[in-house]
Structure formats: structure tokens, C-alpha cells
């Protein structure tokens, strides 16, 4: 009942938006927002550039192909899935196929959209499209990674034990696996 009542209330209104910083990857906006009860608050929002991102759950022979790559923000290697930005004019499916070829050396004839994931909606407007890819075949494209990525395969029925032993996991990976297991018929 609380959910239904909350969504019947008028949406807060953004009264002012101002860019306060910009880099090659991000822009930070300051938003002045007025709520229905006349409360006014300032928020800072990290805005991505481009057209969003895609994260792929590639499945071959009852295994998921993960990658381990350097993550600058934590200065360590992190377990993740093939992923990347969606280029201008590219569909989610096209971006997924390109990123898989660049990062793991496979393409797919069977990619299915699962979910549009908000990274941290309170202060980041970045969205990641989660897809699952099956019917993989070898195909390699040059990517933009500074070093070769380590491929890490895991049997689907060993996922819980495998993930529990990893120390640095991209949180989108955990969300993606949950979405795959709970909201789709692909396992």
C-alpha cells in the first residue's frame, strides 16, 4: 500500500540544473529540487556521457564467462563480465556483440535483453543494460583494453561457491546473476 500511495504523489520538480564540473567521462550537475511539501533541496548528480552501457552474461557449455580486469578506482583486479559503452547509433544488442568480441573473443546469434540497471540512482544517472548471450562462436575484434583480459569460466551450478570465494566483484555482476536466476528462464 505504501508503494501505491508514494507513486500517486506529485513528482518533485527540478527548478534549476547547473553544470558544476566536467571531464571526458562525466559531468556533475547541481540540481535544485522542490518537493510537493514545499521542501527544497540541492542535489549533486554524476552524469555519464554517451548512450549508456551494456553488461553481457555470456553462456557457453553450461558455463558463464567472466573476466578479470584492472579496476582503477580500487587499484586492484576485479571480477566482472564483458561490458562497455553503447556507441552512437549502436543498439544494445550490437554493443553487446561488439564488446564480447573485443573482450572475450566470442560473438552471439542469441542475445536477450534482461534488465535496465540503475547504478546508484540517488546520485548517478548511469544505466547498464543487462543481457544474456548464448549460441557463442569464436570471433575476435581489437578492443581498447590496455592489457589482455583474463577469462574466468564458471559452471552455472557452481556459481554461489565460486562467487563467495572472490574478493573484488563488480556489483553489477552480482545484480546481473541475481536477475538471470530470479527473473529469466535462461538458466
Amino acid at each position: 500500500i505504501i508503494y501505491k500511495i508514494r507513486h500517486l504523489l506529485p513528482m518533485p520538480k527540478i527548478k534549476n540544473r547547473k553544470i558544476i564540473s566536467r571531464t571526458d567521462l562525466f559531468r556533475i550537475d547541481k540540481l535544485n529540487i522542490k518537493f510537493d511539501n514545499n521542501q527544497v533541496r540541492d542535489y549533486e548528480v554524476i552524469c555519464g556521457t554517451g548512450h549508456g552501457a551494456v553488461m553481457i552474461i555470456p553462456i557457453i557449455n553450461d558455463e558463464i564467462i567472466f573476466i578479470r580486469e584492472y579496476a582503477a578506482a580500487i587499484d586492484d583486479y576485479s571480477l566482472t563480465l564483458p561490458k562497455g559503452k553503447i556507441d552512437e547509433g549502436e543498439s544494445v544488442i550490437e554493443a553487446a556483440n561488439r564488446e564480447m568480441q573485443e573482450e572475450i573473443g566470442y560473438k552471439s546469434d542469441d542475445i536477450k535483453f534482461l534488465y535496465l540497471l540503475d547504478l546508484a540512482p540517488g546520485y548517478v544517472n548511469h544505466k547498464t543494460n543487462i543481457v544474456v548471450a548464448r549460441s557463442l562462436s569464436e570471433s575476435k575484434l581489437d578492443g581498447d583494453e590496455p592489457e589482455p583480459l583474463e577469462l574466468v569460466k564458471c559452471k552455472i551450478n557452481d556459481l554461489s561457491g565460486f562467487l563467495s570465494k572472490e574478493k573484488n566483484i563488480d556489483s553489477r555482476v552480482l545484480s546481473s546473476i541475481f536477475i538471470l536466476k530470479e527473473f529469466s528462464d535462461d538458466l
Side-chain angles (χ1 to χ4, degrees), residues 59-66 134 153-165 177 180-181 186-187:
I59 300 175
I60 188 168
N61 301 327
D62 293 324
E63 291 182 318
I64 295 177
I65 303 173
F66 295 90
R134 293 187 175 275
K153 294 181 181 179
C154 175
K155 292 278 187 198
I156 291 171
N157 58 1
D158 294 335
L159 271 173
S160 294
F162 168 74
L163 292 173
S164 70
K165 293 177 183 143
I177 297 301
L180 179 69
K181 290 173 96 175
D186 287 283
L187 280 185

Side-chain angles (χ1 to χ4, degrees), residues 54-58 64-71 74 76-84 99 103-104 128 130 145 149-154 159 162-163 166-177:
V54 63
M55 177 171 271
I56 308 102
I57 307 168
I64 295 177
I65 303 173
F66 295 90
I67 57 177
R68 193 175 320 278
E69 70 177 324
Y70 180 73
I74 63 169
D76 202 349
Y77 284 83
S78 176
L79 184 76
T80 189
L81 289 163
K83 68 194 171 322
E99 288 294 339
E103 295 186 0
I104 64 170
T128 300
I130 307 302
E145 286 72 30
L149 301 176
E150 177 188 352
L151 301 189
V152 182
K153 294 181 181 179
C154 175
L159 271 173
F162 168 74
L163 292 173
E166 290 290 324
K167 72 172 192 161
N168 293 325
I169 303 174
D170 183 329
S171 62
R172 294 173 296 174
V173 167
L174 299 173
S175 297
S176 296
I177 297 301

Side-chain angles (χ1 to χ4, degrees), residues 28-56:
I28 300 176
D29 289 357
K30 183 172 221 159
L31 308 178
N32 182 259
I33 300 174
K34 183 177 182 181
F35 291 81
D36 189 50
N37 62 2
N38 289 320
Q39 293 287 317
V40 177
R41 295 287 187 275
D42 287 335
Y43 290 83
E44 290 182 359
V45 176
I46 300 169
C47 304
T49 57
H51 306 281
V54 63
M55 177 171 271
I56 308 102

